[in-house]
Amino acid sequence: NDGPQTYLQMLRSGPRSILHFDVNEPGASAAIVTCGGLCPGLNDVIRELTIMLQTYGVKTIYGIIGGFKGCVNLDSWITLTEEYVQSIHMSGGTVLVSDRGNPPHSEIAKALQQRNVRQYFVIGGDGSHKGAMQSFEAMTALGHECAVVGIP
């Protein structure tokens, strides 16, 4: 094949000594959303992600209730703390309530920009990750720098 080729870069996961985003940036935050169907362990992922973000020094971590639909409704955003997530792994489903709805990703991007979300974690399957990519593209179009992480 003589045509242009696409190269993907994958990074090994694990702890980092240097973070791209400054956790001391005023107002900077992270957000976690669950989308699509339910599966065992969603609350475990939310809990461990919240605790690890706090370990790295992230001061504000939002949980978005109601999937992508909740992203555009800022009243659906809750603050996740170590106290809040302490025992959620003992409950089934997801404390963030999944939903299969899909509002315009430009609106999701504006909401994430409004809350100064610098790290956006989307927990879900193929459709959720496709939506996460569309949100990333919409944020890029707005000029809002935000890492979008898909967690299967």
Side-chain angles (χ1 to χ4, degrees), residues 89-105:
H89 63 293
M90 304 299 281
S91 303
T94 168
V95 294
L96 298 180
V97 186
S98 282
D99 190 283
R100 295 183 185 270
N102 221 6
H105 289 279

Side-chain angles (χ1 to χ4, degrees), residues 4-28:
Q5 301 210 0
T6 300
Y7 296 95
L8 300 176
Q9 180 182 18
M10 304 294 177
L11 298 176
R12 181 179 293 270
S13 65
R16 300 281 186 254
S17 58
I18 299 172
L19 299 178
H20 177 74
F21 294 104
D22 181 3
V23 295
N24 295 313
E25 176 188 334

Side-chain angles (χ1 to χ4, degrees), residues 51-66:
I51 292 169
M52 190 52 56
L53 286 167
Q54 288 179 332
T55 300
Y56 272 105
V58 177
K59 292 171 183 54
T60 305
I61 304 162
Y62 293 111
I64 302 171
I65 296 176

Side-chain angles (χ1 to χ4, degrees), residues 61-78:
I61 304 162
Y62 293 111
I64 302 171
I65 296 176
F68 285 141
K69 280 184 184 175
C71 290
V72 297
N73 179 6
L74 296 180
D75 293 335
S76 297
W77 293 42
I78 61 171

Side-chain angles (χ1 to χ4, degrees), residues 67-124:
F68 285 141
K69 280 184 184 175
C71 290
V72 297
N73 179 6
L74 296 180
D75 293 335
S76 297
W77 293 42
I78 61 171
T79 301
L80 297 176
T81 62
E82 191 169 347
E83 295 77 29
Y84 183 88
V85 301
Q86 186 61 39
S87 60
I88 64 171
H89 63 293
M90 304 299 281
S91 303
T94 168
V95 294
L96 298 180
V97 186
S98 282
D99 190 283
R100 295 183 185 270
N102 221 6
H105 289 279
S106 59
E107 296 302 313
I108 293 173
K110 288 176 187 172
L112 293 169
Q113 182 181 40
Q114 184 177 347
R115 289 275 172 112
N116 199 23
V117 172
R118 297 306 211 166
Q119 301 166 66
Y120 178 48
F121 298 89
V122 179
I123 304 170

